[in-house]
Amino acid sequence: MSEKFTLTEEGLKNLQDELYQLKNVERVKNITALQEARAQGDLSENADYDAARDQQAQIAARIATIEKILKNYELIQDGANNLGKILIVTYMSSAA
């Protein structure tokens, strides 16, 4: 059985925004940094290249984590009509 993640609407939006930022801004910057580091020549002793590869791995790991959360989460909704009760709605992605 898949692990479920509990999110508020704000938390969900924050994760969606972070995922967009990682995929469309940070990853693009990282690709540019990798290209510039490769252009410096010998990769075996290139600290800039090593740093860019480390950053690439961190970005990829965070993207994978967020995508896992967004595939199987429960949304906590503060229902005004529920007199302060919390409603949990489960969303499960059909893609595995």
Side-chain angles (χ1 to χ4, degrees):
M1 183 169 180
S2 297
E3 181 178 6
K4 291 184 183 177
F5 302 91
T6 305
L7 302 173
T8 62
E9 287 184 35
E10 180 182 356
L12 175 61
K13 180 169 180 354
N14 289 343
L15 283 175
Q16 291 168 333
D17 291 346
E18 182 181 357
L19 183 61
Y20 178 87
Q21 179 76 16
L22 286 168
K23 285 184 168 184
N24 298 293
V25 178
E26 297 304 321
R27 194 161 50 182
V28 172
K29 285 182 188 177
N30 179 254
I31 289 169
T32 301
L34 279 168
Q35 290 170 341
E36 290 173 359
R38 279 190 202 121
Q40 294 175 9
D42 184 12
L43 299 180
S44 65
E45 295 183 16
N46 188 329
D48 290 338
Y49 181 76
D50 290 340
R53 292 285 295 173
D54 289 344
Q55 183 183 31
Q56 182 183 41
Q58 291 172 357
I59 291 169
R62 184 61 182 156
I63 287 172
T65 298
I66 293 171
E67 287 177 339
K68 179 181 177 183
I69 292 168
L70 295 179
K71 285 182 181 175
N72 192 18
Y73 66 92
E74 295 179 336
L75 185 63
I76 297 175
Q77 297 177 339
D78 182 12
N81 296 338
N82 294 330
L83 303 173
K85 294 179 184 176
I86 294 176
L87 175 66
I88 298 179
V89 181
T90 301
Y91 293 86
M92 296 176 71
S93 173
S94 59

